[in-house]
Amino acid sequence: MIRVLVVDDDFMVARIHERFVERTEGFTVVGTAGTGADALAAVADLAPDLVLLDVHLPDMDGIEVLRSLRASGHGVGVIMVTADRDADIVRAALLGGAQQYLVKPFEYPALAERLRAVARSLKALRTETEPDQSAIDRAFGGGAPGAEPLPKGLSVETAASLLAALEGAGEVSAAEAADLVGLSRVSARRYLEHFVTAGRATVRLRYGSAGRPERRYLLG
């Protein structure tokens, strides 16, 4: 399990983010904090794997918290979760070592995809002593959902929703995938074929007694 600390000065927002994290397979919330000082103390006490970190906190901003963590040698993963779109803040988060930056407000699939992207980054090097370039790319976020350009007519939001719905669903056909998120079979197949091309999914042909074989898709 990836252990998550939620940092937000708005109690209700923090609770929503907690529920989103707990809803995502492989993640659990180990604590919450409403100030920068409490966040730093919680990282020291709880040793989480990942922090969901708001920028605007009452005592110091999230960028200061991030810099303090890195200056102290903490390698904890950080996802900045904020309504702030200022380019300087985004740049500071990137240079400070944040793995992801998610703008509020957002729906569950958007956070779930970024959580899974961080999980893939952590997993990429877990068993590697001398990683090859593909493992290094995965560790640095290459291949993360939405990172690859989508073909014309496909949306990042729908792709993220479909990926979230398919997580843990096992092998599915285009028709089954379409039913999960309310797409047409043709649209679902376009997304699924894109995932295959991007290396996000594999496809298997299932042969029946007659007619063309059915294409079955599996994430991973």
Side-chain angles (χ1 to χ4, degrees):
M1 296 289 285
I2 293 177
R3 305 167 72 252
V4 181
L5 172 69
V6 175
V7 180
D8 199 295
D9 65 336
D10 187 317
F11 175 82
M12 293 304 296
V13 171
R15 290 293 173 265
I16 292 171
H17 293 172
E18 284 185 66
R19 289 197 294 271
F20 283 175
V21 171
E22 293 290 353
R23 181 177 166 184
T24 308
E25 185 177 358
F27 293 83
T28 187
V29 174
V30 295
T32 61
T35 68
D38 287 346
L40 293 172
V43 170
D45 292 341
L46 301 174
D49 303 302
L50 178 65
V51 179
L52 298 188
L53 180 58
D54 192 12
V55 168
H56 297 292
L57 299 170
D59 54 342
M60 65 178 79
D61 66 39
I63 298 300
E64 291 181 78
V65 175
L66 177 60
R67 288 171 176 161
S68 294
L69 289 172
R70 298 303 181 237
S72 301
H74 286 290
V76 63
V78 174
I79 298 178
M80 305 303 297
V81 179
T82 176
D84 203 319
R85 299 170 182 264
D86 185 272
D88 288 338
I89 296 294
V90 176
R91 190 178 301 110
L94 177 64
L95 295 176
Q99 279 69 38
Q100 299 282 333
Y101 193 107
L102 183 57
V103 177
K104 300 178 189 175
F106 52 82
E107 299 298 327
Y108 167 70
L111 178 59
E113 278 309 303
R114 283 154 181 82
L115 291 173
R116 295 183 184 112
V118 170
R120 284 191 295 272
S121 294
L122 295 174
K123 181 180 178 182
L125 300 181
R126 189 167 294 161
T127 60
E128 301 278 356
T129 55
E130 294 186 1
D132 59 17
Q133 186 64 56
S134 62
I136 293 170
D137 288 343
R138 289 193 299 275
F140 277 87
E148 66 278 352
L150 290 168
K152 186 176 181 179
L154 303 188
S155 77
V156 172
E157 293 78 12
T158 302
S161 295
L162 183 55
L163 284 167
L166 292 176
E167 191 76 27
E171 195 177 86
V172 297
S173 67
E176 291 165 345
D179 289 341
L180 289 173
V181 291
L183 292 173
S184 70
R185 184 186 62 80
V186 172
S187 293
R189 180 163 180 169
R190 287 192 65 203
Y191 283 97
L192 290 167
E193 291 293 338
H194 169 68
F195 297 155
V196 172
T197 301
R200 298 299 319 286
T202 56
V203 64
R204 180 180 69 87
L205 299 180
R206 185 169 74 180
Y207 292 87
S209 57
R212 290 191 296 178
E214 180 184 46
R215 293 175 69 82
R216 308 281 299 178
Y217 302 87
L218 179 67
L219 291 187

